Structures are given as structure tokens and as C-alpha cells.
Amino acid sequence: MADHTFVVTDDNFQEKVVNSNVPVLVDFWAPWCGPCVALGPVLDQLAKDNNGKILVGKMNVDENANVPATFGVRSIPYVVMFSGGKMVGSVVGNVPKQKLQDLINSATTA
């Protein structure tokens, strides 16, 4: 995992995502999920491109069940944008980088 992203867990979700002063993009993923693994480098690049505007966290759904259940995660990769501690948008699947950037822009320009 790149230095520009961080690990999100059930235990640190409140602190790292809900209480964050900047918007947080959270990737719900699993290591056995091919599309999730393929999306990883794109998220790393978005974290670099948007450094200072957002944070990018990655939550392994195999290791964390509570938060994914709270948000009804049924398909992965599932990428959610949080701003002010609230979910403000999401996308499912290995989507193009621009679609994720649009999601980021919707939270950082509002």
C-alpha cells in the first residue's frame, strides 16, 4: 500500500473517517477480489493527485464486518466519499479514474 493511503478498520473508522477535517475516500475491498486489486493503483494515484484535499482509506471487508454492514456493502470494490462525517457519494466496481475524480470533486468543491 502506498504512503498516500491508510488502512481503515472497524476500530478506527470513527476517528479516521467520521471525525476527519477533510473529505475521505474509502475503498471497501478484499485481497481475493481481482477488480479490487486492479483498482488499488488508481486509488494510490488519486491520493497523490489530491494530496492535501482528501484522504484515501482502504478497508478490507474480510477483516472488518461492522462498518461495511452499516453501509450495506454487498459488492466490492465499493468506493465511498465521506465529507463532514457523512456519506456524500459512492461507486461500485472497477470504474474509470475520472469517475472517481468526479466523486472527489463533488465533495471538495461543494
Side-chain angles (χ1 to χ4, degrees):
M1 188 176 304
D3 294 335
H4 296 277
T5 63
F6 66 97
V7 174
V8 181
T9 65
D10 284 340
D11 293 335
N12 74 8
F13 182 80
Q14 182 75 30
E15 172 195 350
K16 299 281 189 178
V17 178
V18 175
N19 295 340
S20 177
N21 293 328
V22 296
V24 182
L25 189 71
V26 177
D27 173 28
F28 293 93
W29 75 289
W32 50 262
C33 167
C36 298
V37 173
L39 191 60
V42 174
L43 292 168
D44 291 341
Q45 187 61 51
L46 286 167
K48 289 179 196 171
D49 293 349
N50 293 280
N51 190 25
K53 290 192 340 187
I54 65 160
L55 298 173
V56 176
K58 297 175 71 71
M59 178 175 269
N60 183 330
V61 298
D62 287 343
E63 297 173 355
N64 301 278
N66 295 336
V67 171
T70 299
F71 292 97
V73 177
R74 289 187 174 80
S75 297
I76 54 174
Y78 182 56
V79 181
V80 180
M81 189 82 233
F82 292 90
S83 183
K86 300 198 182 328
M87 181 177 160
V88 295
S90 66
V91 294
V92 177
N94 186 358
V95 298
K97 181 180 175 187
Q98 187 57 51
K99 187 162 185 174
L100 293 168
Q101 185 62 57
D102 292 346
L103 184 63
I104 292 166
N105 293 345
S106 71
T108 58
T109 58

